[in-house]
PDB file of all heavy atoms in Angstrom:
ATOM      1  N   THR K 295    -123.520  61.127 310.296  1.00 82.00           N
ATOM      2  CA  THR K 295    -122.405  62.001 309.952  1.00 82.00           C
ATOM      3  C   THR K 295    -122.896  63.143 309.058  1.00 82.00           C
ATOM      4  O   THR K 295    -123.523  62.907 308.028  1.00 82.00           O
ATOM      5  CB  THR K 295    -121.305  61.221 309.221  1.00 82.00           C
ATOM      6  OG1 THR K 295    -120.850  60.163 310.074  1.00 82.00           O
ATOM      7  CG2 THR K 295    -120.138  62.136 308.872  1.00 82.00           C
ATOM      8  N   ILE K 296    -122.634  64.363 309.490  1.00 86.00           N
ATOM      9  CA  ILE K 296    -123.018  65.523 308.695  1.00 86.00           C
ATOM     10  C   ILE K 296    -122.014  65.701 307.566  1.00 86.00           C
ATOM     11  O   ILE K 296    -120.797  65.668 307.796  1.00 86.00           O
ATOM     12  CB  ILE K 296    -123.064  66.790 309.568  1.00 86.00           C
ATOM     13  CG1 ILE K 296    -124.108  66.626 310.679  1.00 86.00           C
ATOM     14  CG2 ILE K 296    -123.370  68.025 308.734  1.00 86.00           C
ATOM     15  CD1 ILE K 296    -124.175  67.788 311.645  1.00 86.00           C
ATOM     16  N   PRO K 297    -122.481  65.887 306.329  1.00 88.00           N
ATOM     17  CA  PRO K 297    -121.557  66.027 305.190  1.00 88.00           C
ATOM     18  C   PRO K 297    -120.556  67.146 305.403  1.00 88.00           C
ATOM     19  O   PRO K 297    -120.849  68.173 306.024  1.00 88.00           O
ATOM     20  CB  PRO K 297    -122.501  66.328 304.019  1.00 88.00           C
ATOM     21  CG  PRO K 297    -123.808  65.732 304.426  1.00 88.00           C
ATOM     22  CD  PRO K 297    -123.884  65.909 305.910  1.00 88.00           C
ATOM     23  N   SER K 298    -119.360  66.938 304.857  1.00 85.00           N
ATOM     24  CA  SER K 298    -118.274  67.890 305.084  1.00 85.00           C
ATOM     25  C   SER K 298    -118.558  69.263 304.495  1.00 85.00           C
ATOM     26  O   SER K 298    -118.091  70.274 305.030  1.00 85.00           O
ATOM     27  CB  SER K 298    -116.966  67.337 304.506  1.00 85.00           C
ATOM     28  OG  SER K 298    -117.092  67.094 303.115  1.00 85.00           O
ATOM     29  N   ASP K 299    -119.352  69.351 303.408  1.00 89.00           N
ATOM     30  CA  ASP K 299    -119.629  70.670 302.838  1.00 89.00           C
ATOM     31  C   ASP K 299    -120.501  71.503 303.762  1.00 89.00           C
ATOM     32  O   ASP K 299    -120.342  72.727 303.862  1.00 89.00           O
ATOM     33  CB  ASP K 299    -120.278  70.539 301.449  1.00 89.00           C
ATOM     34  CG  ASP K 299    -121.630  69.844 301.492  1.00 89.00           C
ATOM     35  OD1 ASP K 299    -121.820  68.959 302.359  1.00 89.00           O
ATOM     36  OD2 ASP K 299    -122.499  70.187 300.662  1.00 89.00           O
ATOM     37  N   ILE K 300    -121.429  70.840 304.481  1.00 91.00           N
ATOM     38  CA  ILE K 300    -122.259  71.561 305.453  1.00 91.00           C
ATOM     39  C   ILE K 300    -121.416  71.998 306.645  1.00 91.00           C
ATOM     40  O   ILE K 300    -121.497  73.143 307.112  1.00 91.00           O
ATOM     41  CB  ILE K 300    -123.443  70.696 305.908  1.00 91.00           C
ATOM     42  CG1 ILE K 300    -124.399  70.457 304.736  1.00 91.00           C
ATOM     43  CG2 ILE K 300    -124.178  71.355 307.071  1.00 91.00           C
ATOM     44  CD1 ILE K 300    -125.591  69.589 305.084  1.00 91.00           C
ATOM     45  N   LEU K 301    -120.586  71.091 307.146  1.00 89.00           N
ATOM     46  CA  LEU K 301    -119.725  71.436 308.282  1.00 89.00           C
ATOM     47  C   LEU K 301    -118.805  72.595 307.937  1.00 89.00           C
ATOM     48  O   LEU K 301    -118.626  73.527 308.739  1.00 89.00           O
ATOM     49  CB  LEU K 301    -118.906  70.222 308.713  1.00 89.00           C
ATOM     50  CG  LEU K 301    -119.682  69.065 309.347  1.00 89.00           C
ATOM     51  CD1 LEU K 301    -118.732  67.907 309.645  1.00 89.00           C
ATOM     52  CD2 LEU K 301    -120.397  69.512 310.606  1.00 89.00           C
ATOM     53  N   LYS K 302    -118.222  72.544 306.754  1.00 89.00           N
ATOM     54  CA  LYS K 302    -117.312  73.610 306.342  1.00 89.00           C
ATOM     55  C   LYS K 302    -118.054  74.944 306.276  1.00 89.00           C
ATOM     56  O   LYS K 302    -117.546  75.980 306.741  1.00 89.00           O
ATOM     57  CB  LYS K 302    -116.692  73.298 304.984  1.00 89.00           C
ATOM     58  CG  LYS K 302    -115.669  74.334 304.496  1.00 89.00           C
ATOM     59  CD  LYS K 302    -115.048  73.922 303.187  1.00 89.00           C
ATOM     60  CE  LYS K 302    -113.952  74.904 302.764  1.00 89.00           C
ATOM     61  NZ  LYS K 302    -114.467  76.283 302.611  1.00 89.00           N
ATOM     62  N   ALA K 303    -119.268  74.953 305.715  1.00 92.00           N
ATOM     63  CA  ALA K 303    -120.043  76.192 305.604  1.00 92.00           C
ATOM     64  C   ALA K 303    -120.431  76.733 306.973  1.00 92.00           C
ATOM     65  O   ALA K 303    -120.485  77.955 307.182  1.00 92.00           O
ATOM     66  CB  ALA K 303    -121.296  75.948 304.759  1.00 92.00           C
ATOM     67  N   ILE K 304    -120.678  75.831 307.910  1.00 92.00           N
ATOM     68  CA  ILE K 304    -121.006  76.267 309.270  1.00 92.00           C
ATOM     69  C   ILE K 304    -119.775  76.823 309.962  1.00 92.00           C
ATOM     70  O   ILE K 304    -119.811  77.902 310.562  1.00 92.00           O
ATOM     71  CB  ILE K 304    -121.612  75.102 310.076  1.00 92.00           C
ATOM     72  CG1 ILE K 304    -123.003  74.764 309.552  1.00 92.00           C
ATOM     73  CG2 ILE K 304    -121.684  75.458 311.568  1.00 92.00           C
ATOM     74  CD1 ILE K 304    -123.626  73.539 310.186  1.00 92.00           C
ATOM     75  N   PHE K 305    -118.659  76.124 309.859  1.00 88.00           N
ATOM     76  CA  PHE K 305    -117.470  76.523 310.595  1.00 88.00           C
ATOM     77  C   PHE K 305    -116.797  77.759 310.016  1.00 88.00           C
ATOM     78  O   PHE K 305    -116.154  78.511 310.752  1.00 88.00           O
ATOM     79  CB  PHE K 305    -116.485  75.359 310.673  1.00 88.00           C
ATOM     80  CG  PHE K 305    -117.001  74.198 311.463  1.00 88.00           C
ATOM     81  CD1 PHE K 305    -116.657  72.899 311.119  1.00 88.00           C
ATOM     82  CD2 PHE K 305    -117.838  74.390 312.545  1.00 88.00           C
ATOM     83  CE1 PHE K 305    -117.142  71.816 311.846  1.00 88.00           C
ATOM     84  CE2 PHE K 305    -118.328  73.321 313.272  1.00 88.00           C
ATOM     85  CZ  PHE K 305    -117.988  72.032 312.923  1.00 88.00           C
ATOM     86  N   ASP K 306    -116.915  77.996 308.711  1.00 89.00           N
ATOM     87  CA  ASP K 306    -116.291  79.208 308.165  1.00 89.00           C
ATOM     88  C   ASP K 306    -117.224  80.414 308.170  1.00 89.00           C
ATOM     89  O   ASP K 306    -116.852  81.501 307.738  1.00 89.00           O
ATOM     90  CB  ASP K 306    -115.731  78.968 306.755  1.00 89.00           C
ATOM     91  CG  ASP K 306    -116.809  78.714 305.695  1.00 89.00           C
ATOM     92  OD1 ASP K 306    -117.987  79.037 305.917  1.00 89.00           O
ATOM     93  OD2 ASP K 306    -116.445  78.181 304.615  1.00 89.00           O
ATOM     94  N   GLY K 307    -118.465  80.225 308.659  1.00 90.00           N
ATOM     95  CA  GLY K 307    -119.389  81.356 308.844  1.00 90.00           C
ATOM     96  C   GLY K 307    -120.269  81.666 307.663  1.00 90.00           C
ATOM     97  O   GLY K 307    -121.181  82.499 307.786  1.00 90.00           O
ATOM     98  N   THR K 308    -120.048  81.023 306.522  1.00 93.00           N
ATOM     99  CA  THR K 308    -120.851  81.366 305.345  1.00 93.00           C
ATOM    100  C   THR K 308    -122.294  80.912 305.487  1.00 93.00           C
ATOM    101  O   THR K 308    -123.212  81.561 304.974  1.00 93.00           O
ATOM    102  CB  THR K 308    -120.243  80.751 304.072  1.00 93.00           C
ATOM    103  OG1 THR K 308    -120.102  79.334 304.246  1.00 93.00           O
ATOM    104  CG2 THR K 308    -118.884  81.367 303.778  1.00 93.00           C
ATOM    105  N   PHE K 309    -122.522  79.809 306.184  1.00 95.00           N
ATOM    106  CA  PHE K 309    -123.889  79.337 306.364  1.00 95.00           C
ATOM    107  C   PHE K 309    -124.661  80.270 307.292  1.00 95.00           C
ATOM    108  O   PHE K 309    -125.839  80.566 307.060  1.00 95.00           O
ATOM    109  CB  PHE K 309    -123.904  77.910 306.901  1.00 95.00           C
ATOM    110  CG  PHE K 309    -125.269  77.284 306.896  1.00 95.00           C
ATOM    111  CD1 PHE K 309    -125.890  76.945 305.702  1.00 95.00           C
ATOM    112  CD2 PHE K 309    -125.947  77.058 308.073  1.00 95.00           C
ATOM    113  CE1 PHE K 309    -127.152  76.375 305.680  1.00 95.00           C
ATOM    114  CE2 PHE K 309    -127.212  76.488 308.077  1.00 95.00           C
ATOM    115  CZ  PHE K 309    -127.825  76.154 306.873  1.00 95.00           C
ATOM    116  N   LEU K 310    -124.005  80.748 308.354  1.00 94.00           N
ATOM    117  CA  LEU K 310    -124.668  81.700 309.254  1.00 94.00           C
ATOM    118  C   LEU K 310    -125.032  82.975 308.502  1.00 94.00           C
ATOM    119  O   LEU K 310    -126.136  83.518 308.677  1.00 94.00           O
ATOM    120  CB  LEU K 310    -123.763  82.030 310.437  1.00 94.00           C
ATOM    121  CG  LEU K 310    -124.308  83.106 311.400  1.00 94.00           C
ATOM    122  CD1 LEU K 310    -125.618  82.666 312.032  1.00 94.00           C
ATOM    123  CD2 LEU K 310    -123.279  83.438 312.474  1.00 94.00           C
ATOM    124  N   THR K 311    -124.120  83.463 307.667  1.00 93.00           N
ATOM    125  CA  THR K 311    -124.414  84.663 306.882  1.00 93.00           C
ATOM    126  C   THR K 311    -125.630  84.457 305.995  1.00 93.00           C
ATOM    127  O   THR K 311    -126.506  85.323 305.891  1.00 93.00           O
ATOM    128  CB  THR K 311    -123.201  85.060 306.030  1.00 93.00           C
ATOM    129  OG1 THR K 311    -122.096  85.347 306.894  1.00 93.00           O
ATOM    130  CG2 THR K 311    -123.498  86.285 305.180  1.00 93.00           C
ATOM    131  N   ALA K 312    -125.712  83.279 305.365  1.00 94.00           N
ATOM    132  CA  ALA K 312    -126.866  82.977 304.509  1.00 94.00           C
ATOM    133  C   ALA K 312    -128.154  82.933 305.329  1.00 94.00           C
ATOM    134  O   ALA K 312    -129.195  83.465 304.903  1.00 94.00           O
ATOM    135  CB  ALA K 312    -126.640  81.651 303.794  1.00 94.00           C
ATOM    136  N   LEU K 313    -128.090  82.308 306.506  1.00 96.00           N
ATOM    137  CA  LEU K 313    -129.269  82.255 307.376  1.00 96.00           C
ATOM    138  C   LEU K 313    -129.708  83.642 307.806  1.00 96.00           C
ATOM    139  O   LEU K 313    -130.902  83.968 307.801  1.00 96.00           O
ATOM    140  CB  LEU K 313    -128.967  81.407 308.614  1.00 96.00           C
ATOM    141  CG  LEU K 313    -128.974  79.886 308.475  1.00 96.00           C
ATOM    142  CD1 LEU K 313    -128.623  79.248 309.808  1.00 96.00           C
ATOM    143  CD2 LEU K 313    -130.331  79.388 307.996  1.00 96.00           C
ATOM    144  N   GLN K 314    -128.746  84.473 308.187  1.00 95.00           N
ATOM    145  CA  GLN K 314    -129.089  85.811 308.669  1.00 95.00           C
ATOM    146  C   GLN K 314    -129.637  86.685 307.550  1.00 95.00           C
ATOM    147  O   GLN K 314    -130.506  87.538 307.791  1.00 95.00           O
ATOM    148  CB  GLN K 314    -127.878  86.457 309.332  1.00 95.00           C
ATOM    149  CG  GLN K 314    -127.526  85.806 310.660  1.00 95.00           C
ATOM    150  CD  GLN K 314    -126.344  86.455 311.354  1.00 95.00           C
ATOM    151  OE1 GLN K 314    -125.454  87.008 310.696  1.00 95.00           O
ATOM    152  NE2 GLN K 314    -126.313  86.390 312.671  1.00 95.00           N
ATOM    153  N   ASN K 315    -129.149  86.498 306.330  1.00 94.00           N
ATOM    154  CA  ASN K 315    -129.723  87.235 305.202  1.00 94.00           C
ATOM    155  C   ASN K 315    -131.191  86.886 305.025  1.00 94.00           C
ATOM    156  O   ASN K 315    -132.025  87.764 304.726  1.00 94.00           O
ATOM    157  CB  ASN K 315    -128.942  86.931 303.926  1.00 94.00           C
ATOM    158  CG  ASN K 315    -127.591  87.625 303.885  1.00 94.00           C
ATOM    159  OD1 ASN K 315    -127.391  88.649 304.542  1.00 94.00           O
ATOM    160  ND2 ASN K 315    -126.651  87.068 303.139  1.00 94.00           N
ATOM    161  N   LEU K 316    -131.544  85.614 305.209  1.00 96.00           N
ATOM    162  CA  LEU K 316    -132.948  85.212 305.167  1.00 96.00           C
ATOM    163  C   LEU K 316    -133.700  85.718 306.388  1.00 96.00           C
ATOM    164  O   LEU K 316    -134.858  86.120 306.305  1.00 96.00           O
ATOM    165  CB  LEU K 316    -133.053  83.682 305.079  1.00 96.00           C
ATOM    166  CG  LEU K 316    -132.521  83.037 303.806  1.00 96.00           C
ATOM    167  CD1 LEU K 316    -132.493  81.517 303.953  1.00 96.00           C
ATOM    168  CD2 LEU K 316    -133.370  83.441 302.601  1.00 96.00           C
ATOM    169  N   ASN K 317    -133.019  85.692 307.529  1.00 96.00           N
ATOM    170  CA  ASN K 317    -133.636  86.115 308.784  1.00 96.00           C
ATOM    171  C   ASN K 317    -134.013  87.598 308.787  1.00 96.00           C
ATOM    172  O   ASN K 317    -134.932  88.022 309.494  1.00 96.00           O
ATOM    173  CB  ASN K 317    -132.671  85.810 309.939  1.00 96.00           C
ATOM    174  CG  ASN K 317    -133.357  85.554 311.261  1.00 96.00           C
ATOM    175  OD1 ASN K 317    -132.705  85.230 312.242  1.00 96.00           O
ATOM    176  ND2 ASN K 317    -134.668  85.676 311.320  1.00 96.00           N
ATOM    177  N   THR K 318    -133.288  88.405 308.002  1.00 95.00           N
ATOM    178  CA  THR K 318    -133.635  89.826 307.923  1.00 95.00           C
ATOM    179  C   THR K 318    -135.036  90.028 307.361  1.00 95.00           C
ATOM    180  O   THR K 318    -135.675  91.046 307.635  1.00 95.00           O
ATOM    181  CB  THR K 318    -132.626  90.590 307.034  1.00 95.00           C
ATOM    182  OG1 THR K 318    -132.640  90.041 305.713  1.00 95.00           O
ATOM    183  CG2 THR K 318    -131.219  90.525 307.602  1.00 95.00           C
ATOM    184  N   GLN K 319    -135.522  89.049 306.589  1.00 95.00           N
ATOM    185  CA  GLN K 319    -136.837  89.165 305.972  1.00 95.00           C
ATOM    186  C   GLN K 319    -137.966  88.636 306.859  1.00 95.00           C
ATOM    187  O   GLN K 319    -139.124  88.980 306.644  1.00 95.00           O
ATOM    188  CB  GLN K 319    -136.846  88.397 304.640  1.00 95.00           C
ATOM    189  CG  GLN K 319    -135.767  88.830 303.654  1.00 95.00           C
ATOM    190  CD  GLN K 319    -135.619  87.852 302.500  1.00 95.00           C
ATOM    191  OE1 GLN K 319    -136.581  87.214 302.095  1.00 95.00           O
ATOM    192  NE2 GLN K 319    -134.399  87.738 301.964  1.00 95.00           N
ATOM    193  N   ASN K 320    -137.623  87.785 307.835  1.00 96.00           N
ATOM    194  CA  ASN K 320    -138.699  87.154 308.609  1.00 96.00           C
ATOM    195  C   ASN K 320    -138.556  87.296 310.119  1.00 96.00           C
ATOM    196  O   ASN K 320    -139.325  86.681 310.877  1.00 96.00           O
ATOM    197  CB  ASN K 320    -138.798  85.670 308.250  1.00 96.00           C
ATOM    198  CG  ASN K 320    -137.536  84.883 308.581  1.00 96.00           C
ATOM    199  OD1 ASN K 320    -136.670  85.353 309.309  1.00 96.00           O
ATOM    200  ND2 ASN K 320    -137.435  83.670 308.050  1.00 96.00           N
ATOM    201  N   TRP K 321    -137.577  88.062 310.620  1.00 97.00           N
ATOM    202  CA  TRP K 321    -137.363  88.112 312.060  1.00 97.00           C
ATOM    203  C   TRP K 321    -138.557  88.679 312.812  1.00 97.00           C
ATOM    204  O   TRP K 321    -138.865  88.237 313.939  1.00 97.00           O
ATOM    205  CB  TRP K 321    -136.089  88.908 312.399  1.00 97.00           C
ATOM    206  CG  TRP K 321    -136.197  90.403 312.250  1.00 97.00           C
ATOM    207  CD1 TRP K 321    -135.903  91.135 311.148  1.00 97.00           C
ATOM    208  CD2 TRP K 321    -136.631  91.328 313.246  1.00 97.00           C
ATOM    209  NE1 TRP K 321    -136.123  92.468 311.374  1.00 97.00           N
ATOM    210  CE2 TRP K 321    -136.574  92.623 312.667  1.00 97.00           C
ATOM    211  CE3 TRP K 321    -137.066  91.215 314.561  1.00 97.00           C
ATOM    212  CZ2 TRP K 321    -136.936  93.769 313.364  1.00 97.00           C
ATOM    213  CZ3 TRP K 321    -137.426  92.364 315.255  1.00 97.00           C
ATOM    214  CH2 TRP K 321    -137.356  93.616 314.664  1.00 97.00           C
ATOM    215  N   GLN K 322    -139.257  89.641 312.219  1.00 97.00           N
ATOM    216  CA  GLN K 322    -140.421  90.201 312.906  1.00 97.00           C
ATOM    217  C   GLN K 322    -141.557  89.191 312.967  1.00 97.00           C
ATOM    218  O   GLN K 322    -142.258  89.088 313.978  1.00 97.00           O
ATOM    219  CB  GLN K 322    -140.866  91.481 312.203  1.00 97.00           C
ATOM    220  CG  GLN K 322    -139.868  92.635 312.387  1.00 97.00           C
ATOM    221  CD  GLN K 322    -140.243  93.852 311.579  1.00 97.00           C
ATOM    222  OE1 GLN K 322    -140.527  93.736 310.384  1.00 97.00           O
ATOM    223  NE2 GLN K 322    -140.242  95.006 312.201  1.00 97.00           N
ATOM    224  N   GLN K 323    -141.741  88.445 311.902  1.00 97.00           N
ATOM    225  CA  GLN K 323    -142.787  87.432 311.869  1.00 97.00           C
ATOM    226  C   GLN K 323    -142.485  86.301 312.858  1.00 97.00           C
ATOM    227  O   GLN K 323    -143.366  85.843 313.598  1.00 97.00           O
ATOM    228  CB  GLN K 323    -142.916  86.859 310.462  1.00 97.00           C
ATOM    229  CG  GLN K 323    -143.938  85.731 310.329  1.00 97.00           C
ATOM    230  CD  GLN K 323    -143.909  85.112 308.942  1.00 97.00           C
ATOM    231  OE1 GLN K 323    -143.228  85.609 308.036  1.00 97.00           O
ATOM    232  NE2 GLN K 323    -144.644  84.027 308.771  1.00 97.00           N
ATOM    233  N   LEU K 324    -141.230  85.847 312.879  1.00 97.00           N
ATOM    234  CA  LEU K 324    -140.835  84.753 313.762  1.00 97.00           C
ATOM    235  C   LEU K 324    -140.544  85.223 315.182  1.00 97.00           C
ATOM    236  O   LEU K 324    -140.539  84.421 316.115  1.00 97.00           O
ATOM    237  CB  LEU K 324    -139.598  84.050 313.205  1.00 97.00           C
ATOM    238  CG  LEU K 324    -139.744  83.375 311.835  1.00 97.00           C
ATOM    239  CD1 LEU K 324    -138.413  82.775 311.405  1.00 97.00           C
ATOM    240  CD2 LEU K 324    -140.824  82.312 311.868  1.00 97.00           C
ATOM    241  N   ASN K 325    -140.252  86.521 315.340  1.00 98.00           N
ATOM    242  CA  ASN K 325    -139.882  87.113 316.625  1.00 98.00           C
ATOM    243  C   ASN K 325    -138.579  86.519 317.159  1.00 98.00           C
ATOM    244  O   ASN K 325    -138.434  86.258 318.365  1.00 98.00           O
ATOM    245  CB  ASN K 325    -140.996  86.939 317.658  1.00 98.00           C
ATOM    246  CG  ASN K 325    -140.970  88.037 318.711  1.00 98.00           C
ATOM    247  OD1 ASN K 325    -140.438  89.122 318.474  1.00 98.00           O
ATOM    248  ND2 ASN K 325    -141.544  87.771 319.869  1.00 98.00           N
ATOM    249  N   CYS K 326    -137.627  86.301 316.246  1.00 97.00           N
ATOM    250  CA  CYS K 326    -136.342  85.751 316.673  1.00 97.00           C
ATOM    251  C   CYS K 326    -135.249  86.162 315.689  1.00 97.00           C
ATOM    252  O   CYS K 326    -135.523  86.538 314.547  1.00 97.00           O
ATOM    253  CB  CYS K 326    -136.408  84.225 316.787  1.00 97.00           C
ATOM    254  SG  CYS K 326    -136.585  83.364 315.210  1.00 97.00           S
ATOM    255  N   TRP K 327    -134.012  86.064 316.170  1.00 96.00           N
ATOM    256  CA  TRP K 327    -132.835  86.351 315.356  1.00 96.00           C
ATOM    257  C   TRP K 327    -131.785  85.294 315.658  1.00 96.00           C
ATOM    258  O   TRP K 327    -131.455  85.028 316.820  1.00 96.00           O
ATOM    259  CB  TRP K 327    -132.282  87.738 315.656  1.00 96.00           C
ATOM    260  CG  TRP K 327    -131.034  88.077 314.891  1.00 96.00           C
ATOM    261  CD1 TRP K 327    -129.756  88.085 315.362  1.00 96.00           C
ATOM    262  CD2 TRP K 327    -130.955  88.429 313.504  1.00 96.00           C
ATOM    263  NE1 TRP K 327    -128.881  88.428 314.362  1.00 96.00           N
ATOM    264  CE2 TRP K 327    -129.592  88.649 313.212  1.00 96.00           C
ATOM    265  CE3 TRP K 327    -131.894  88.594 312.494  1.00 96.00           C
ATOM    266  CZ2 TRP K 327    -129.143  89.018 311.947  1.00 96.00           C
ATOM    267  CZ3 TRP K 327    -131.456  88.962 311.232  1.00 96.00           C
ATOM    268  CH2 TRP K 327    -130.096  89.170 310.966  1.00 96.00           C
ATOM    269  N   ILE K 328    -131.256  84.665 314.608  1.00 96.00           N
ATOM    270  CA  ILE K 328    -130.222  83.645 314.775  1.00 96.00           C
ATOM    271  C   ILE K 328    -128.867  84.323 314.924  1.00 96.00           C
ATOM    272  O   ILE K 328    -128.414  85.032 314.027  1.00 96.00           O
ATOM    273  CB  ILE K 328    -130.203  82.687 313.571  1.00 96.00           C
ATOM    274  CG1 ILE K 328    -131.549  81.979 313.423  1.00 96.00           C
ATOM    275  CG2 ILE K 328    -129.084  81.663 313.721  1.00 96.00           C
ATOM    276  CD1 ILE K 328    -131.664  81.142 312.164  1.00 96.00           C
ATOM    277  N   THR K 329    -128.217  84.104 316.057  1.00 94.00           N
ATOM    278  CA  THR K 329    -126.914  84.729 316.314  1.00 94.00           C
ATOM    279  C   THR K 329    -125.752  83.796 316.012  1.00 94.00           C
ATOM    280  O   THR K 329    -124.639  84.254 315.753  1.00 94.00           O
ATOM    281  CB  THR K 329    -126.799  85.192 317.773  1.00 94.00           C
ATOM    282  OG1 THR K 329    -126.845  84.043 318.628  1.00 94.00           O
ATOM    283  CG2 THR K 329    -127.941  86.133 318.131  1.00 94.00           C
ATOM    284  N   SER K 330    -125.995  82.491 316.063  1.00 92.00           N
ATOM    285  CA  SER K 330    -124.916  81.536 315.785  1.00 92.00           C
ATOM    286  C   SER K 330    -125.528  80.187 315.455  1.00 92.00           C
ATOM    287  O   SER K 330    -126.688  79.918 315.775  1.00 92.00           O
ATOM    288  CB  SER K 330    -123.964  81.405 316.981  1.00 92.00           C
ATOM    289  OG  SER K 330    -124.647  80.883 318.104  1.00 92.00           O
ATOM    290  N   ILE K 331    -124.733  79.353 314.809  1.00 93.00           N
ATOM    291  CA  ILE K 331    -125.158  77.982 314.531  1.00 93.00           C
ATOM    292  C   ILE K 331    -124.006  77.043 314.830  1.00 93.00           C
ATOM    293  O   ILE K 331    -122.857  77.298 314.456  1.00 93.00           O
ATOM    294  CB  ILE K 331    -125.671  77.825 313.078  1.00 93.00           C
ATOM    295  CG1 ILE K 331    -126.148  76.386 312.853  1.00 93.00           C
ATOM    296  CG2 ILE K 331    -124.611  78.230 312.054  1.00 93.00           C
ATOM    297  CD1 ILE K 331    -127.007  76.224 311.623  1.00 93.00           C
ATOM    298  N   LYS K 332    -124.315  75.974 315.546  1.00 91.00           N
ATOM    299  CA  LYS K 332    -123.317  74.985 315.941  1.00 91.00           C
ATOM    300  C   LYS K 332    -123.816  73.606 315.535  1.00 91.00           C
ATOM    301  O   LYS K 332    -124.975  73.430 315.150  1.00 91.00           O
ATOM    302  CB  LYS K 332    -123.084  75.020 317.460  1.00 91.00           C
ATOM    303  CG  LYS K 332    -122.755  76.385 318.020  1.00 91.00           C
ATOM    304  CD  LYS K 332    -121.392  76.875 317.613  1.00 91.00           C
ATOM    305  CE  LYS K 332    -121.072  78.219 318.248  1.00 91.00           C
ATOM    306  NZ  LYS K 332    -119.758  78.738 317.835  1.00 91.00           N
TER     307      LYS K 332
END
Side-chain angles (χ1 to χ4, degrees):
T295 301
I296 299 177
S298 59
D299 63 328
I300 294 179
L301 292 177
K302 183 177 185 301
I304 290 174
F305 295 147
D306 67 18
T308 55
F309 189 70
L310 176 61
T311 299
L313 282 179
Q314 289 181 331
N315 285 336
L316 294 171
N317 208 176
T318 60
Q319 304 167 31
N320 62 14
W321 74 268
Q322 290 174 311
Q323 177 186 353
L324 298 178
N325 207 23
C326 69
W327 178 257
I328 300 173
T329 64
S330 63
I331 182 164
K332 307 290 183 182

